[in-house]
Amino acid sequence: MRTQVAIIGAGPAGLLLSHLLRRQGIDSVVVEMRSREYCENRIRAGVLEQGTVDTLNEAGLGERMAKDGLLHHGIELLFERRLHRIDMSSLTGGRSITVYGQHEVVRDMIAAAQRHNHALFFEASEVSLHDIESTQPQVRFTHDGTQHTLDCDYIAGCDGFHGISRGTIPADVLRTFERVYPYAWLGILANAPPSADELVYAHHERGFALFSMRSPDVTRLYLQCRPDERLDEWSDDRIWDELLARFENDQGWLPNRGAITQKGVTPMRSFVTEPMQYGRLFLAGDAAHIVPPTGAKGMNLAVADVRVLSKAFASRYLDGSTDLLDAYSSHCLERVWRAEHFSYFMTNMLHPSFDETPFVNRLKLSELKYVSSSHAAASALAENYVGLPFAE
């Protein structure tokens, strides 16, 4: 087989890149090691920045999101038994976020790919990348028992943190930066109508908690826990008791209880690799960087990456210039490090530490008070949360 751009991974980054390229007349093939069912049902957070929503709409992928997504103009910070609203839209000139599950975004993109007869190989095995330093790289894989060699001009590694793409780059070329946090999130889905219209981030002496939602009938909730937490020690009743304790406040709001349909523990880490390109291989999304979930930046960074990469490929194929491709890594890393810092800031501020002195936790509380009372501090939080505008 022959294509212009081989894309490894059918997550949000890889699928969106294929659509953006198609709209510019650039051919691509997507190779994914997991099944379609796995990709469409892998539950991940779905807080979409304004720029992500705009990009999906521009790509013709936003119809169901516009109908089923939940538009939010602010968030609530809960501490010292009081709710403090950050009005993001008024602080950012009308920008907002949309709550729409990552798996729903993936379903929309796979359905669109099928409508356009896009080449998508699910359940590929023995996937390997070759000659990435040459002008004729290859992707080799097995699909339905048949071995394939995919010749291409470029490879986009969109296969996540544990994928093969980053490992194909010589180890002495990459620099990695990592922080592993001393806590994790125990997350649940509950069949209960959300009791608030916006997300609630709670800082409590017992630990952080987050109120979110998946639909008008499903609530998503998280609890700060140990990284080695055992789920079998958390009965449904214990989870609800802990949630209600951490969300306790003087204004009468609490999440609605309901049957818990899913629970899991999410570890928290920050990770960045530099550079995000080597030879004819370009990394995007989780293959190049990981953020803790507190700042809701994971999928949004992936969208930002492939937006830059698609424009770089368009410049290469339509104008004959490789300047944007050469600058891809440095361009993306500016936004990546800003998002890493914001995620670190939100995580550090909202999670009480049980391994440090009371002094440190008082600093966290002071930061919360400042953010909720200062127009300048609230504006900085809002600007980063809704997503910085793209530099076109």
Side-chain angles (χ1 to χ4, degrees), residues 86-115:
I86 305 296
D87 189 336
M88 296 183 298
S89 293
S90 69
L91 292 166
T92 61
R95 295 168 70 81
S96 59
I97 58 150
T98 297
V99 176
Y100 187 63
Q102 177 176 308
H103 62 290
E104 302 292 0
V105 175
V106 169
R107 289 172 183 174
D108 293 343
M109 290 194 282
I110 291 176
Q114 289 196 316
R115 289 197 301 272

Side-chain angles (χ1 to χ4, degrees), residues 150-213:
L150 177 60
D151 295 308
C152 55
D153 298 326
Y154 299 95
I155 301 174
C158 307
D159 50 346
F161 183 78
H162 299 289
I164 64 166
S165 295
R166 188 176 68 253
T168 305
I169 299 175
D172 60 353
V173 171
L174 296 179
R175 298 178 65 203
T176 58
F177 305 85
E178 185 172 18
R179 174 180 173 81
V180 178
Y181 293 85
Y183 28 74
W185 281 8
L186 193 163
I188 67 165
L189 283 176
N191 286 336
S195 59
D197 295 329
E198 297 174 340
L199 277 67
V200 179
Y201 290 82
H203 172 95
H204 192 276
E205 62 183 12
R206 298 172 66 96
F208 166 79
L210 172 61
F211 166 89
S212 183
M213 62 284 293

Side-chain angles (χ1 to χ4, degrees), residues 51-73:
T52 296
V53 171
D54 294 342
T55 299
L56 293 173
N57 284 329
E58 291 165 8
L61 300 165
E63 181 178 356
R64 200 162 67 94
M65 175 183 63
K67 180 169 65 75
D68 297 337
L70 305 174
L71 186 64
H72 289 193
H73 297 285

Side-chain angles (χ1 to χ4, degrees), residues 40-56:
E40 290 185 333
N41 293 286
R42 186 169 183 253
I43 304 297
R44 288 293 183 270
V47 177
L48 309 184
E49 294 177 355
Q50 182 71 64
T52 296
V53 171
D54 294 342
T55 299
L56 293 173

